[in-house]
Amino acid sequence: MTTISTNLQAVRARIAAAAEMAGRPPESIGLLAVSKTFPAEQVREAAGAGQLAFGENYVQEGLAKIAALEGLGLEWHFIGPLQSNKTRLVAEHFTWVHGVERLKIAERLSGARGAGRPPLQVCVQVNVSGEASKSGVSPGDTATLAQAVATLPNLRLRGLMAIPEPTDDMALARRRFSTLRQLRDTLNEAGLALDTLSMGMSHDLEAAILEGATLVRVGTAIFGERART
Ligand SMILES: *Cc1c(COP(=O)(O)O)cnc(C)c1O
């Protein structure tokens, strides 16, 4: 067994244990393997261990891996900050975009995706910690942005995404994730049909799952420490 396949098993076991604690079926939680900074060969290894969904933060790096691993049936998620001059490449080559925080970016993604393909799956990113340095729309502005994104023709708004501040305080982590879940619930009561809460990473996936995460994004616990971030 390789390190990556051992790590994947351990992460799947953590997800299953947290799901049990939350009284949720483990299959209700998807695992996105965050492969940023790691070479295509390590993604191939993870794919060999049954992992098919991968997250990338940097456009050029992601495109190189997508090209190198074509034909393996992998699903690519763009999870990094997205500048408007990169929207076309992302809309053409990725299946999901997690970090939509401005309507202008969403409009460009929709235009670049075009009508001939399945819609691009997107999440609106919310700044649940209220830190000025963090990406994401404020909780108070989330509904307006989400409603506007939901009307765009070539996007399918799937849910919300957040990256709370790192903390060892489980109660604080749960509060942040709970904020995202409540926003999702409110939007669904207002008529949207959001099925995705993209939240939880290597250090806090348990807290996220206890608060309803449907997709955890895990890098370090699968691939190891990154040389740069
Ligand atoms: C890097 C990254 C992750 C993975 O973080 P780990 O702590 O390595 O698990 C998840 N989500 C986003 C948006 C990231 O940029």
Side-chain angles (χ1 to χ4, degrees):
M1 288 242 303
T2 67
T3 308
I4 288 175
S5 68
T6 310
N7 289 350
L8 268 170
Q9 276 192 3
V11 169
R12 289 184 192 126
R14 280 175 65 189
I15 292 171
E20 179 164 24
M21 212 185 324
R24 303 176 52 198
E27 0 19 293
S28 66
I29 301 140
L31 172 59
L32 183 66
V34 177
S35 43
K36 65 178 175 213
T37 80
F38 292 98
E41 281 321 301
Q42 298 193 16
V43 175
R44 187 189 297 278
E45 216 175 296
Q51 177 64 33
L52 297 180
F54 293 90
E56 288 286 335
N57 289 55
Y58 310 104
V59 177
Q60 297 306 332
E61 182 194 335
L63 294 181
K65 283 178 230 179
I66 292 170
L69 299 169
E70 216 189 323
L72 291 184
L74 306 183
E75 181 180 89
W76 294 95
H77 296 228
F78 189 78
I79 62 173
L82 183 51
Q83 285 140 16
S84 48
N85 62 346
K86 298 279 174 61
T87 45
R88 176 161 298 279
L89 286 168
V90 168
E92 283 173 357
H93 295 280
F94 286 80
T95 301
W96 281 70
V97 175
H98 289 237
V100 172
E101 55 174 343
R102 282 190 290 146
L103 183 57
K104 181 182 155 214
I105 295 283
E107 287 168 344
R108 292 180 65 109
L109 287 170
S110 180
R113 183 72 171 187
R117 299 184 57 196
L120 187 64
Q121 312 292 303
V122 302
C123 290
V124 161
Q125 183 173 353
V126 183
N127 180 355
V128 290
S129 347
E131 297 164 280
S133 61
K134 282 272 171 152
S135 317
V137 66
S138 70
D141 291 335
T142 300
T144 305
L145 178 60
Q147 295 284 0
V149 170
T151 67
L152 295 173
N154 306 318
L155 304 186
R156 177 153 172 237
L157 179 62
R158 294 292 298 272
L160 304 177
M161 178 272 217
I163 314 172
E165 74 272 47
T167 174
D168 293 327
D169 179 346
M170 178 83 162
L172 175 63
R174 288 189 63 165
R175 256 192 339 269
R176 300 304 191 210
F177 293 130
S178 162
T179 298
L180 200 70
R181 186 194 63 229
Q182 288 171 35
L183 282 167
R184 192 268 321 261
D185 292 346
T186 304
L187 289 170
N188 282 347
E189 281 157 22
L192 294 180
L194 307 183
D195 62 12
T196 300
L197 283 175
S198 167
M199 59 189 198
M201 316 197 329
S202 293
H203 66 280
D204 58 8
L205 67 87
E206 283 83 5
I209 289 169
L210 287 169
E211 295 300 335
T214 65
L215 189 56
V216 292
R217 309 176 311 268
V218 179
T220 309
I222 295 171
F223 294 103
E225 295 288 339
R226 287 179 292 276
R228 61 186 168 90
T229 54

